[in-house]
Amino acid sequence: MTEILRWQARLEQELKRRFELSLALLFSDMVGSSSYFQRFGDAAGRQLQQIHQDLLQAAANQHGGRVVDTAGDGVFLVFSDSARALAAVQQVQTQLSERNLARARPHQLQLRMGLHWGRVLSDGQSVSGEAVNFCARVLASGEPGEVRLSREAFQELPAAWRVQCRPLAPTLLKDVAGAVELMAFDWRDRSIFPTHVLIGDAKEPQVLPLLDIISFGRLREHEGVPANDVVLSHVDPMQALQISRWHFELRRGAQSMVLRALSDSVTLVDGQPAPKGQDLPVRVGCRIDVAHALSLRLLAPLPCHAPDADQTLVSLSRARLDLAAVAAAGPRPGEIPAGLQRPGS
């Protein structure tokens, strides 16, 4: 038995010597695919899956990555470094945004993505190891539309990519002891694209969903499914009726955002009328007036710039404050002051 144990140790060392290496691991998963298949059928669902796989394959080819697996609704890829992986993520998200704007709102493709850097075993085809399992858990912890990075993946990034990441609150992952530090990758310019909306006299802003088309209106549900992403209401029932069931959409492109009015009822953007069916540019700080009944303000947190990983991640312990005073709009119009940001906001 002693000799067998010695041979086992030698084989393990040889396995690591020949097949162990460090890679950037990226998982991508379709959000809401099961309900989409049930609602629209197998053909439409399979088409959405194919779009997902084709976007990831093209990005891998462009940035020196490799698709390892496409099981189910997910895609697993590897890259030689985290910067290449994030460049692929940005390409996928940009192209997906352009495609989504040409598709009806119920047929939008939304992804959840997770990135990790770690040691794995690979023979050039398969990739395995605890780092792969950890990356899958990073993915599973993400919100719809979110791109999450582990601390290890973030530390491998050059400064130019780090400034596009923001710290999240310490997160519990399945089968991982203790909370872990994760980052979110904001591939869009947060000085242009709002992340929150302050509605009427509300004390706190509401987080905007990470969708390419975000609908606003009075109607909460239609035919058993949510009718609007942001439901608009008013304490006065008569004023509430002035708001259309579907009033307007915010449409996020890769480089800009527009408001498209869906109603003949009045919609103003910074005092300018928004005719039904036409697009008006909007950005952080814009005021939207809905049917002379309700006003909205588009907001975003101040950017968090940090030259290194430790400085960025230490802000996790400092970002524990309330958004209650956000109506003041902060140092720049439409931005949530840094001291009023919540972790992950």
Side-chain angles (χ1 to χ4, degrees):
M1 186 175 71
T2 301
E3 193 61 28
I4 291 174
L5 291 173
R6 286 172 179 162
W7 274 106
Q8 185 179 28
R10 291 174 191 152
L11 285 171
E12 191 172 318
Q13 291 173 358
E14 184 64 15
L15 186 68
K16 289 185 177 181
R17 186 185 70 81
R18 294 182 60 183
F19 299 110
E20 190 176 58
L21 70 161
S22 294
L23 290 174
L25 314 172
L26 176 65
F27 276 94
S28 179
D29 186 56
M30 292 171 57
V31 175
S33 59
S34 297
S35 59
Y36 186 86
F37 269 85
Q38 292 173 6
R39 186 178 178 190
F40 297 106
D42 292 342
R46 186 64 188 89
Q47 182 187 49
L48 217 58
Q49 283 181 330
Q50 194 62 53
I51 292 172
H52 178 208
Q53 294 175 12
D54 289 347
L55 286 172
L56 268 296
Q57 183 64 68
N61 294 343
Q62 181 71 26
H63 298 284
R66 178 169 66 87
V67 173
V68 178
D69 192 12
T70 57
D73 297 328
V75 179
F76 172 37
L77 308 90
V78 294
F79 296 82
S80 59
D81 58 66
S82 295
R84 289 176 181 270
L86 270 195
V89 167
Q90 183 142 16
Q91 176 178 316
V92 168
Q93 294 288 1
T94 299
Q95 293 178 352
L96 178 59
S97 181
E98 293 169 352
R99 288 195 180 208
N100 275 342
L101 291 179
R103 297 172 67 88
R105 182 174 166 273
H107 298 282
Q108 304 285 294
L109 172 58
Q110 191 179 26
L111 304 179
R112 180 187 289 112
M113 307 179 89
L115 177 64
H116 178 52
W117 169 265
R119 301 290 288 178
V120 296
L121 293 176
S122 177
D123 59 1
Q125 297 296 322
S126 64
V127 178
S128 61
E130 182 52 35
V132 177
N133 299 330
F134 185 83
C135 186
R137 295 180 183 113
V138 172
L139 166 81
S141 74
E143 298 293 330
E146 196 172 39
V147 180
R148 290 196 168 189
L149 296 78
S150 68
R151 180 189 178 107
E152 292 80 3
F154 176 79
Q155 288 177 320
E156 288 296 316
L157 292 172
W161 285 109
R162 289 184 183 182
V163 297
Q164 290 182 251
C165 300
R166 56 186 166 86
L168 300 170
T171 304
L172 292 173
L173 302 182
K174 183 180 178 181
D175 298 328
V176 176
V180 300
E181 294 172 331
L182 299 177
M183 309 291 291
F185 173 58
D186 292 321
W187 65 275
R188 287 187 171 100
D189 185 346
R190 297 183 81 196
S191 68
I192 298 174
F193 292 91
T195 58
H196 297 68
V197 59
L198 185 67
I199 303 176
D201 296 327
K203 293 183 178 180
E204 294 190 1
Q206 181 175 334
V207 177
L208 291 173
L210 294 174
L211 297 168
D212 293 309
I213 299 178
I214 308 170
S215 63
F216 292 69
R218 188 181 77 239
L219 192 61
R220 186 173 298 276
E221 187 177 284
H222 179 66
E223 296 181 351
V225 297
N228 286 285
D229 302 301
V230 179
V231 178
L232 302 177
S233 60
H234 198 285
V235 293
D236 183 341
M238 296 304 295
Q239 291 276 18
L241 289 175
Q242 300 303 311
I243 303 169
S244 296
R245 293 184 300 168
W246 289 275
H247 204 97
F248 69 88
E249 293 175 341
L250 292 181
R251 302 172 67 87
R252 287 185 176 118
Q255 303 298 327
S256 62
M257 176 181 272
V258 299
L259 179 146
R260 178 175 295 179
L262 304 177
S263 168
D264 290 318
S265 187
V266 175
T267 305
L268 303 176
V269 177
D270 289 335
Q272 180 180 353
K276 182 179 179 180
Q278 296 186 27
D279 295 341
L280 280 183
V282 294
R283 58 180 298 152
V284 171
C286 279
R287 176 189 173 101
I288 302 170
D289 292 295
V290 180
H292 300 304
L294 201 61
S295 65
L296 290 69
R297 187 72 171 269
L298 301 179
L299 307 171
L302 290 169
C304 174
H305 298 292
D308 57 65
D310 292 336
Q311 184 175 337
T312 299
L313 289 166
V314 78
S315 63
L316 287 167
S317 62
R318 297 175 181 166
R320 295 279 191 261
L321 301 175
D322 198 356
L323 284 168
V326 72
R332 281 186 269 169
E335 290 184 326
I336 301 171
L340 300 177
Q341 296 172 33
R342 283 181 173 169
S345 66

